[in-house]
């Protein structure tokens, strides 16, 4: 019964499946949402057992828009998902996921990553240089397909555990610092 | 020879019995085992496949999540290590084929194009499963796995094993039963041998040896007892046979006699002029009746069954039907006269139809036997006689009427004659009286004498005319019947007659007289005339005697008056009661000759009779009867 219900909800939400005309931004938004299912945050990252999981979006209005539409009313585990547009000057450490769009300049990227270093925030950058700049996950396009890289040292720094199942589908997993 | 065959067949039957029981047990056991194995193996196939599908779907969930077909294909390729799985496929949530694996050498096109609903399905040569891939409560797609179904091969191999085991078991059973049955069959064989010898030699003194005390032993005992019985029976049968032969000879001679009698009956039937027939107990004719066909011209098909009734006259058929209905109920013979069509005279003729029920020894009605005889001529003759009789009666009646008419005319004539005669007689009597009274002195003695004669004759003439009138009046006067006391009546009549009587008084004997029914004055006339006669005719004997009496019969009273007077000649008996018939000369006995005629007339009008007995000089007896009338009460 619950399964049937979920199927119906999923089918009602546009852009969830790997559709024909899904835009790159929509794919990124979907990836962001799905990452949350394969990452384990330390309990201290949440105020309460049912506190919402907050995804911050920096310099990615289109992604934020898609993501907001996508996650409304959905949960990961028993947590609701929230999308928040943030600025580099904002306090970013209470986020759980931080996506830094391609629009951000390299300095803004570095600054933001530095701001959450050591905090249990899953940083996701959009670009080849993101991983080098210290983000945990970086999007890249391979053969016109959206793929991603994962940096395990970066994850360790932020006290996050990445599921091996996620790693099995990553384009590349960086294990050395 | 037959004994050997039978013996072999028992042996065969025993072996067959053992073998078939063994076979049946093995088959049942084998089928049960095979079925159990079959269903267990099917369950294990199912479990195996589901487990495998669980593992693969979990492993391929991230690849579906992140649209990584390459990784998904690699995951599916792991199945190359499972030799039974020969095809696998992943479909996206939208139902598109995402990744696949096909065992080398298998048809790649055999994969389903779209995922189906979850579940395991078994076909003859494969087991397939569809299972949804779910991660984080999201349906990501479907997994399809196809595995070889080697259930049939497995079943075939277990059947082969079963067949081998069965063959071995049957062989052992055959050896064992062949060995065992010998001990059972041997005693039976010896009994059968004895039985065969008895049959061949008809020697009933043979006996089977008793070898064991089991059921076979009982059989041997029973067999020997039976032989005892048969031996005894054979002797009895011999004597019965002999007596039977005598009986058959007797019966044959009786049968000959019976056939002779039957032939005689048949000839008798054909000798009889009448038509004879036989009907079943419902009145239907079955056999041929040539005499009937000859008489009526009906063909066998027409008269058989109930068709024979059609030959009778339409108006008589109802009579026949009623007679038959009644006869069938009462089972009694009947005879009716009806009209039957006669071919020869081309018309209906009267016949007498006679039917007699024929019953068996128990009295149950079996059939009807009957005859039909032509009574037409007789019937016509009877008819003629009847007609002649009727004609005769009519003629008598007419003649009687004519006679009565003549009588009446005669009576009225005699009445008027008497009446007319009276006045001249009176004139003669009156004038002679005047002559005697007023002119007596002018007549001499001879004149006186002649005048006396004239007077007496005129008086006699008057009396004669009075009597005649009375007699003729009898025919006209209406009777007034009542109960009449004859004792009193006769007595008073006698007394008044005695007063006028001038002869010697007779000795009177008066018996008891019953009452009568009639006209009192007329009956008084009867007594008066009879008694006057008696007094008159007995007046001249020495010791006159008159007797009155009566005899009572069943239906009439007979009254009589007897005297011992002059009597009469019996030759003239018939003339006694005629008018003016006198047997005696008037000079001897006075009288008009009308008295007895009047008596007869009165008695006849009362329905009685008169007659007389007597002889000359020996008196006379006059009888008259009056019918008894019940209304009279005491008579």
């Amino acid at each position: 019964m619950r399964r049937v219900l979920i199927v119906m909800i999923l089918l009602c939400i546009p852009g969830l499946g790997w559709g024909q005309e899904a835009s790159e931004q929509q794919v990124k938004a979907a990836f962001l949402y799905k990452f949350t299912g394969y990452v384990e945050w330390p309990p201290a990252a949440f105020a309460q057992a049912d506190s919402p999981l907050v995804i911050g979006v920096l310099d990615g209005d289109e992604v934020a828009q898609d993501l907001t539409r996508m996650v409304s009313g959905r949960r990961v585990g028993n947590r609701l998902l929230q999308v928040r547009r943030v600025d580099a000057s904002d306090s970013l450490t209470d986020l759980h996921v931080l996506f830094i769009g391609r629009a951000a300049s390299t300095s803004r990227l570095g600054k933001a990553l530095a701001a959450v270093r050591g905090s249990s925030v899953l940083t996701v950058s959009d670009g080849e240089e993101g991983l080098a700049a210290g983000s945990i996950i970086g999007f890249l396009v391979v053969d016109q397909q959206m793929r991603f890289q994962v940096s395990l040292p970066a994850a360790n720094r932020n006290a996050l555990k990445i599921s091996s199942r996620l790693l099995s589908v990553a384009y590349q997993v960086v294990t050395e610092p | 020879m037959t004994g050997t065959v039978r013996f072999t067949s028992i042996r065969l039957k025993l072996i067959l019995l053992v073998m078939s029981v063994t076979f049946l047990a093995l088959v049942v056991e084998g089928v049960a085992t095979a079925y159990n194995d079959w269903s267990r193996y099917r369950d294990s196939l199912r479990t195996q496949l589901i487990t495998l599908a669980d593992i693969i779907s979990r492993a391929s969930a991230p690849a579906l999540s992140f649209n990584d077909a390459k990784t998904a294909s690699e995951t599916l390729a792991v199945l190359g290590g499972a030799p039974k799985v020969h095809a696998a496929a992943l479909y996206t949530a939208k139902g598109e084929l995402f990744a696949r694996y096909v065992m080398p050498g298998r048809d790649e096109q055999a994969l389903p194009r779209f995922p189906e609903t979850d579940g395991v399905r078994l076909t003859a040569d494969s087991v397939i499963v569809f299972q949804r891939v779910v991660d984080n409560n999201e349906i990501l797609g479907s997994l399809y796995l196809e595995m070889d179904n080697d259930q049939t091969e497995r079943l075939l191999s277990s059947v082969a094993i079963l067949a081998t085991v069965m063959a071995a078991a049957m062989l052992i059973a055959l050896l064992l039963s062949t060995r065992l049955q010998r001990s059972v069959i041997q005693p039976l064989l010896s009994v059968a041998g004895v039985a065969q010898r008895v049959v061949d030699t008809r020697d009933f003194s043979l006996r089977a040896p008793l070898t064991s005390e089991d059921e076979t032993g009982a059989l041997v005992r029973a067999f020997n007892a039976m032989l005892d019985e048969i031996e005894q029976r054979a002797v009895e049968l011999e004597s019965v046979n002999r007596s039977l032969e005598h009986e058959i000879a007797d019966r044959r001679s009786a049968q000959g006699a019976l056939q002779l009698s039957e032939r005689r009956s048949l000839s008798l039937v054909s000798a009889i002029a009448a038509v004879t027939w036989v009907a079943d107990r419902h009145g239907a004719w079955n056999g041929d009746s040539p005499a009937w066909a000859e008489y009526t011209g009906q063909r066998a098909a027409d008269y058989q069954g109930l068709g024979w009734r059609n030959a009778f006259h339409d108006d008589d058929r109802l009579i026949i039907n009623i007679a038959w209905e009644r006869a069938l109920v009462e089972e009694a013979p009947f005879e009716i006269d009806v009209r039957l069509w006669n071919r020869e005279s081309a018309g209906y003729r009267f016949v007498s139809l006679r039917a007699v029920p024929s019953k068996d020894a128990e009295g149950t009605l079996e059939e009807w036997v009957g005859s039909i005889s032509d009574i037409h001529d007789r019937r016509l003759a009877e008819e003629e006689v009847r007609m002649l009789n009727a004609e005769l009666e009519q003629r008598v009646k007419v003649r009687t009427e004519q006679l009565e008419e003549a009588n009446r005319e005669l009576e009225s004539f005699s009445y008027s004659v008497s009446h007319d005669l009276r006045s001249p007689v009176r004139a003669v009597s009156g004038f002679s009286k005047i002559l005697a009274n007023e002119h007596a002195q002018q007549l001499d003695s001879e004149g006186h004498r002649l005048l006396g004669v004239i007077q007496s004759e005129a008086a006699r003439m008057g009396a004669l005319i009075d009597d005649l009138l009375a007699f003729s009046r009898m025919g006209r006067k209406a009777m007034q019947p009542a109960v009449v006391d004859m004792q009193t009546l006769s007595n008073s009549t006698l007394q008044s007659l005695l007063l006028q009587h001038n002869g010697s008084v007779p000795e009177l004997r008066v018996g008891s007289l019953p009452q009568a029914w009639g006209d009192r004055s007329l009956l008084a006339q009867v007594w008066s005339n009879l008694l006057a006669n008696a007094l008159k005719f007995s007046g001249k004997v020495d010791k006159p005697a008159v007797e009155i009496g009566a005899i009572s019969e069943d239906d009439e009273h007979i009254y009589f008056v007897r005297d011992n007077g002059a009597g009469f000649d019996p030759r003239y008996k018939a003339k006694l009661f005629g008018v003016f018939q006198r047997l005696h000369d008037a000079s001897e006995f006075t009288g008009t000759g009308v008295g007895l005629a009047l008596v007869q007339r009165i008695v006849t009008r009362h329905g009685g009779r008169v007659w007389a007995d007597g002889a000359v000089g020996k008196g006379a007896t006059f009888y008259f009867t009056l019918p008894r009338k019940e209304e009279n009460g005491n008579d």
Side-chain angles (χ1 to χ4, degrees), chain A residues 34-143:
Chain A
K34 288 183 175 176
F35 286 153
T36 59
Y38 295 97
V39 175
E40 197 181 311
W41 279 267
F46 299 95
Q48 287 169 353
D50 56 352
S51 296
L53 193 151
V54 185
I55 303 172
V57 179
L58 182 70
D59 295 337
D61 284 353
E62 213 181 321
V63 171
Q65 205 178 334
D66 286 338
L67 194 57
T68 305
R69 204 173 58 227
M70 204 178 292
V71 305
S72 71
R74 303 181 80 171
R75 289 167 185 267
V76 173
N78 54 355
R79 299 175 196 284
L80 278 169
L81 285 165
Q82 283 182 3
V83 178
R84 192 188 296 170
R85 292 178 200 196
V86 294
D87 201 47
S89 55
D90 292 349
S91 168
L92 302 173
T93 53
D94 56 343
L95 296 172
H96 300 100
V97 178
L98 173 62
F99 172 66
I100 303 143
R102 197 178 280 272
S105 63
T106 314
S107 63
R108 245 172 104 88
L109 173 70
K111 197 175 168 192
L113 287 174
V116 297
R117 180 184 280 252
S119 305
S120 46
V121 176
L122 179 71
T123 52
V124 182
S125 59
D126 188 5
E128 301 275 341
E129 69 286 357
L131 219 64
S135 81
I136 299 169
I137 297 176
F139 286 127
L140 75 164
V141 174
V142 181
D143 299 338

Side-chain angles (χ1 to χ4, degrees), chain A residues 6-7 33 37-38 74 147, chain B residues 67-68 135-139:
Chain A
I6 291 164
V7 170
Y33 158 64
Y38 295 97
R74 303 181 80 171
R147 313 294 328 151
Chain B
N67 194 24
D68 191 346
D135 207 18
N136 287 329
N137 287 343
E138 265 182 47
I139 293 171

Side-chain angles (χ1 to χ4, degrees), chain B residues 120-138:
Chain B
V120 180
R121 320 208 206 316
L122 274 95
T123 63
D125 53 0
S126 62
V127 189
I128 62 167
V129 68
F130 282 98
Q131 182 163 326
R132 262 177 228 152
V133 180
V134 180
D135 207 18
N136 287 329
N137 287 343
E138 265 182 47

Side-chain angles (χ1 to χ4, degrees), chain A residues 2-3 6-7 10 18-20 31 33-35 37-38 74 145 147-148 165-166 168-169, chain B residues 58-59 61-68 71 94 96 118 132 134-140:
Chain A
R2 242 175 71 193
R3 276 191 178 189
I6 291 164
V7 170
L10 289 179
W18 293 111
Q20 310 82 308
F31 272 37
Y33 158 64
K34 288 183 175 176
F35 286 153
Y38 295 97
R74 303 181 80 171
Q145 288 262 321
R147 313 294 328 151
F148 60 88
R165 297 171 64 220
L166 181 64
S168 71
V169 291
Chain B
R58 184 157 175 77
L64 274 169
S65 266
F66 297 102
N67 194 24
D68 191 346
T71 309
K94 285 185 173 176
E96 292 158 341
D118 282 14
R132 262 177 228 152
V134 180
D135 207 18
N136 287 329
N137 287 343
E138 265 182 47
I139 293 171
L140 302 172

Side-chain angles (χ1 to χ4, degrees), chain A residues 17-31:
Chain A
W18 293 111
Q20 310 82 308
E21 314 105 27
S23 73
E24 195 184 311
Q25 304 311 317
Q26 279 173 330
V27 174
K28 284 174 191 164
F31 272 37

